[in-house]
Amino acid sequence: MGLEAEMMVAFQRTTTATKIDIDRDPGLMSALAWFPSVRGMKKITTLSWPLIIGLGALALIRPLVRIIGHQVDADLGAATPIAITLVISAIWVAVVGIGKTRHPVMTLLFTGLTYAVLSIILSGILSPMIDGRLDGPLANPIAIVPMLLTNALWGLIAGGLALLIQRLRGVKPAENIERY
């Protein structure tokens, strides 16, 4: 058998196997059968990343107010950071809940994580310039994981509220509209 004939046989086997795989239900060798969460991974690509990054960057108002207050020796008290957090949360919930943002819980979960990463970066840039030494989570790496978890929880709670607002407004879940 010549090289051309061997290539033709290989092509026919590949074409046949591909046609069979396309029509096959998720079976024993399918990733969907072993890992049902694989189906949900497609949600990450459908999230509005500019919105997530924008809302995460908006939350940087919190550390910036604290830094500016510290620089001008203003006593902001304990209520100011809480009030700022509530205002930011209200903005997140309003933007995502009133809009028709798909996957509001995932969107605000990643918004919280984005804020955490951005504030770690901001701390790493500004602390040496302000204090003359590295301070914050980068100076104490064990604080990074709790910081990520705390801000993920913040986003998760805000996302739940945004989802509730969407449901009260009659917005249908994206999962019922699209089939993955």
Side-chain angles (χ1 to χ4, degrees), residues 8-9 30 40 52 59 61 73 86-87 95 112 119-120 126 138 172:
M8 190 59 165
V9 169
S30 171
I52 291 169
I61 291 171
D73 292 326
L86 291 175
V87 168
V95 167
S119 65
I120 290 170
L126 292 182
L138 293 177
K172 293 183 180 179

Side-chain angles (χ1 to χ4, degrees), residues 57-108:
L58 171 73
L60 289 176
I61 291 171
R62 255 179 83 203
L64 289 175
V65 166
R66 186 182 56 79
I67 290 168
I68 293 169
H70 180 69
Q71 290 298 308
V72 296
D73 292 326
D75 183 25
L76 300 176
T80 304
I82 294 170
I84 293 171
T85 301
L86 291 175
V87 168
I88 292 168
S89 299
I91 292 170
W92 284 6
V93 170
V95 167
V96 174
I98 294 172
K100 291 188 177 181
T101 303
R102 294 167 39 181
H103 314 296
V105 176
M106 292 278 288
T107 297
L108 289 179

